[in-house]
Amino acid sequence: MIHARTAACAVAVAAAAGLALLPAQAQAAGSVHLYKIYYDSPGTDTRSNASLNAEYVQIKNSTSRGVSLKGWTVSDAGNHRYTFGSYTLGAGKTVTVRTGSGSDTTYTKYQDRRAYVWNNTADTATLRKASGTKVDTCSYNSSRYDYKIC
């Protein structure tokens, strides 16, 4: 009888521990939110356009309809800000906002900067509507990884 209780307790503890290890869903379905920040571009930080463009933030629309991002901003803790022009992010789609220069496409936008935005060890991204209302934030504090899934 004691062995059965011990085994049952061990199973319960293992199950609870397993549940604790499962990743939490960052954002509920049906939102526009920060999805990923690639804050440390590969290799040496040379400020080349290729290196600057390897640093980016992604915004995902997990709603079932397109959402106008006109006037929305994404910024870092140092208030480096990118403002969307007239743009609608399609249902279920993701847009990548790269730091360097390039030609904007439907799902890739460029900040046209000549310096890095995202700190390599710690920073916070903030997504705001055109009204200034905060939609989402995503922070990281690690030099062990190059990106953060929000």
Side-chain angles (χ1 to χ4, degrees), residues 4 10 15 21 26 30 32 43 48 58 63 65 67 70 86 90 94 102 106 108 110 112 117 128 131-132 141-142:
L21 295 175
V32 175
S48 70
Q58 291 181 318
T63 72
R65 61 180 174 72
V67 175
K70 183 178 182 179
S86 184
T94 301
T106 302
T108 303
Y110 295 87
D112 297 326
V117 170
R128 294 182 185 274
S131 64
N141 186 8
S142 174

Side-chain angles (χ1 to χ4, degrees), residues 38-42 48-56 98-100 116 146:
Y38 204 110
Y39 54 86
D40 188 7
S41 58
S48 70
N49 196 52
S51 181
L52 290 167
N53 281 331
E55 176 186 87
Y56 58 84
R98 297 187 182 277
T99 298
Y116 298 97
D146 296 332

Side-chain angles (χ1 to χ4, degrees), residues 19-144:
L19 288 175
L21 295 175
L22 292 175
Q25 186 175 355
Q27 294 291 328
S31 66
V32 175
H33 56 271
L34 295 162
Y35 176 71
K36 180 180 183 180
I37 305 170
Y38 204 110
Y39 54 86
D40 188 7
S41 58
T44 304
D45 290 347
T46 61
R47 283 194 177 182
S48 70
N49 196 52
S51 181
L52 290 167
N53 281 331
E55 176 186 87
Y56 58 84
V57 62
Q58 291 181 318
I59 299 163
K60 183 172 180 116
N61 175 6
S62 61
T63 72
S64 59
R65 61 180 174 72
V67 175
S68 172
L69 298 185
K70 183 178 182 179
W72 285 42
T73 62
V74 62
S75 59
D76 72 338
N79 207 26
H80 298 98
R81 183 175 301 169
Y82 173 79
T83 303
F84 284 91
S86 184
Y87 176 70
T88 297
L89 182 57
K93 301 297 182 184
T94 301
V95 62
T96 300
V97 180
R98 297 187 182 277
T99 298
S101 298
S103 297
D104 289 349
T105 67
T106 302
Y107 299 113
T108 303
K109 304 297 178 188
Y110 295 87
Q111 295 191 48
D112 297 326
R113 294 183 182 274
R114 298 192 191 287
Y116 298 97
V117 170
W118 306 104
N119 296 330
N120 286 354
T121 56
D123 212 337
T124 298
T126 302
L127 179 65
R128 294 182 185 274
K129 291 183 177 182
S131 64
T133 302
K134 189 185 301 182
V135 175
D136 194 15
T137 61
C138 180
S139 297
Y140 58 90
N141 186 8
S142 174
S143 59
R144 292 185 64 198

